[in-house]
Amino acid sequence: MSRVAKKPIEIPKGVEVKIEQGNLISIKGPKGQISKGMREDVKIVIDGATILVSPANDDSWPHAGTARALLNNMVVGVSQGVKVELELRGVGFRAAAQGNSALQLTIGYSHPVVHKLPVGVHVETPTQTSVVLTGVDLEKVSQEAAKIRRYREPENYKGKGIRYLNENVLIKETKKK
């Protein structure tokens, strides 16, 4: 059984944590601000420069561990930011950022695919075959990366498609006569 919930979360300098009505947590830092509601069966206490998470009863240990992981991701997001990198592999595959709010992908379809990004997620294309998504909320950034990857997942025979940076794709051997 994991003991994630027992580990305290250190609050870095420049980050403010507030517990508002109920279990609505608001965290503000140099990169931005996030607010998220937590379950009522999880107790969250701010003790100096640490956040302590504990369950209200013995049945809510899993919820306390999840709440602690979410709070840690929020603290890291507002203090350091979150970055997810994707790479395109395939002949003629390329990506182009349209400002900070949209991404145009040429990935082998008869038309370019335009993916609009929500508020709080920013896109950069350092090269034609790499995409960098940044933001404050790990959940939003990861979800958008998964949506972009879903347009053309890496296939198993040639390995072409959209993949996470350094993702290992198992290449199958073709049939032989």
Side-chain angles (χ1 to χ4, degrees):
M1 186 166 134
S2 176
R3 303 284 187 243
V4 172
K6 291 186 176 184
K7 186 175 179 184
I9 301 168
E10 298 294 325
I11 302 172
K13 290 185 180 179
V15 175
E16 297 176 20
V17 180
K18 293 180 186 173
I19 300 175
E20 297 173 4
Q21 58 195 11
N23 267 3
L24 180 68
I25 307 296
S26 179
I27 301 179
K28 185 177 182 181
K31 298 281 185 179
Q33 179 176 356
I34 303 176
S35 295
K36 191 171 284 198
M38 298 291 168
R39 293 177 59 103
E40 294 295 326
D41 59 351
V42 175
K43 288 188 243 173
I44 300 167
V45 178
I46 300 171
D47 183 30
T50 60
I51 302 172
L52 302 172
V53 179
S54 61
N57 53 39
D58 285 340
D59 293 335
S60 60
W61 270 107
H63 304 298
T66 302
R68 191 254 178 224
L70 290 172
L71 284 170
N72 188 47
N73 290 340
M74 291 167 65
V75 168
V76 169
V78 298
S79 62
Q80 300 170 5
V82 177
K83 179 170 80 168
V84 176
E85 296 181 44
L86 301 169
E87 67 176 330
L88 283 68
R89 287 208 187 158
V91 176
F93 284 21
R94 56 185 179 270
Q98 296 177 339
N100 252 350
S101 60
L103 177 68
Q104 181 176 344
L105 300 167
T106 305
I107 49 177
Y109 295 123
S110 61
H111 59 285
V113 177
V114 177
H115 182 80
K116 297 208 184 301
L117 297 167
V119 176
V121 179
H122 306 290
V123 65
E124 297 173 10
T125 51
T127 65
Q128 287 186 344
T129 59
S130 64
V131 177
V132 178
L133 297 171
T134 57
V136 176
D137 192 357
L138 177 67
E139 190 175 341
K140 273 186 180 178
V141 174
S142 298
Q143 182 65 41
E144 289 306 311
K147 285 179 183 177
I148 291 170
R149 186 179 183 272
R150 213 174 302 140
Y151 287 124
R152 181 73 81 172
E153 291 184 7
E155 54 100 13
N156 294 334
Y157 292 100
K158 293 183 181 177
K160 67 182 197 176
I162 302 172
R163 59 174 81 182
Y164 296 108
L165 187 66
N166 299 325
E167 178 182 359
N168 188 17
V169 176
L170 184 65
I171 304 297
K172 293 181 180 178
E173 189 174 335
T174 57
K175 290 185 178 180
K176 296 182 178 168
K177 291 185 180 183

